[in-house]
Amino acid sequence: MSTIQESFVLEAAPGTDIWRKPPTTNVWNAPISRTTSGPLKKFQSARVTFWSDWTERYDQAGLLLVPKRASSADVSPPEKWIKTGVEFYLGKPHLSTVGCDRFADWSVGPLALTANESDPTEVGGVTIEIIREGDEHGKSLWVYRLVLDAEGHLIEKIPLREICWVLANEDEVGEEWLLDVSPLVARPEKKATESLKVNFKSFEVQWLS
């Protein structure tokens, strides 16, 4: 079963972010919409294609995943989450993934175009995917950047990060875990004078039937 949304714009006001850093920082005020939800055990993948005119430090967009216990589904800010996509850092867009189990950690790398790749603005933006995978060592979620041509065909699949703690929760005895999946937009810079607008070409989530 899949949920597909196409061609929409999301906007985030200055001072919005999702971030948790010791000892006391716990920010959860990014605008969240177009969420699709289901049992964590049935989640297969999520994919988003997007782009923006990034200008402010930490401007960001992409995917947001929030695993939560069914018994505490309305807790805000949530205890655990993942966000991944593009973040504007050191004056240019970077690939970015943040995982938060207790506190957040951040991996970031340059958004370098491959030799056969079109400019992101020509193909609707950058495509990020989070997918369930498994091997002889166990199961996890993998974050990839998908390089697509102008017709949407896959050219290259670039691994960005493996996240193992999320799927450990789905085996918790006597407790059902749910997963919210949303497109992400945030503009942490409080001094910015305008909102960040992000063009989303597509947002797709796959669940087991």
Side-chain angles (χ1 to χ4, degrees):
M1 181 177 65
S2 63
T3 301
I4 302 174
Q5 302 178 38
E6 297 180 336
S7 299
F8 57 93
V9 177
L10 294 181
E11 188 171 340
T16 54
D17 198 5
I18 293 174
W19 182 239
R20 187 184 298 165
K21 190 171 184 176
T24 58
T25 298
N26 191 3
V27 181
W28 183 269
N29 63 355
I32 299 171
S33 63
R34 296 179 176 266
T35 300
T36 178
S37 303
L40 178 59
K41 285 186 175 182
K42 293 191 174 183
F43 173 75
Q44 297 300 297
S45 66
R47 181 187 294 192
V48 68
T49 301
F50 61 95
W51 197 248
S52 182
D53 294 325
W54 324 97
T55 59
E56 302 291 343
R57 187 178 65 154
Y58 303 135
D59 276 356
Q60 58 194 261
L63 282 169
L64 174 66
L65 275 65
V66 182
K68 54 192 181 182
R69 293 179 176 88
S71 59
S72 58
D74 296 329
V75 172
S76 185
E79 298 176 359
K80 305 173 185 289
W81 45 265
I82 297 166
K83 64 177 183 178
T84 184
V86 170
E87 190 156 345
F88 194 70
Y89 183 58
L90 297 178
K92 57 185 177 181
H94 284 69
L95 296 169
S96 169
T97 301
V98 178
C100 182
D101 188 350
R102 183 182 176 196
F103 288 101
D105 51 55
W106 182 28
S107 58
V108 60
L111 177 60
L113 302 184
T114 64
N116 298 321
E117 184 179 1
S118 300
D119 186 282
T121 59
E122 297 176 1
V123 294
V126 168
T127 299
I128 300 293
E129 181 178 65
I130 298 181
I131 188 168
R132 174 191 290 264
E133 292 189 358
D135 58 20
E136 69 274 18
H137 301 296
K139 56 190 177 181
S140 62
L141 297 182
W142 260 101
V143 181
Y144 293 97
R145 180 185 170 221
L146 304 183
V147 180
L148 309 177
D149 63 19
E151 287 73 42
H153 301 130
L154 181 65
I155 298 175
E156 188 175 357
K157 190 173 184 178
I158 302 173
L160 301 180
R161 185 165 178 168
E162 183 181 24
I163 304 172
C164 298
W165 56 264
V166 183
L167 298 183
N169 293 327
E170 69 182 8
D171 295 324
E172 187 172 325
V173 177
E175 181 70 79
E176 181 184 9
W177 280 79
L178 306 176
L179 184 68
D180 291 345
V181 187
S182 312
L184 168 70
V185 178
R187 169 160 275 182
E189 180 53 67
K190 297 178 181 179
K191 296 180 180 179
T193 58
E194 297 180 344
S195 296
L196 172 67
K197 295 181 180 179
V198 179
N199 296 304
F200 286 85
K201 183 178 180 181
S202 63
F203 167 57
E204 179 177 354
V205 185
Q206 297 281 348
W207 308 87
L208 280 178
S209 301

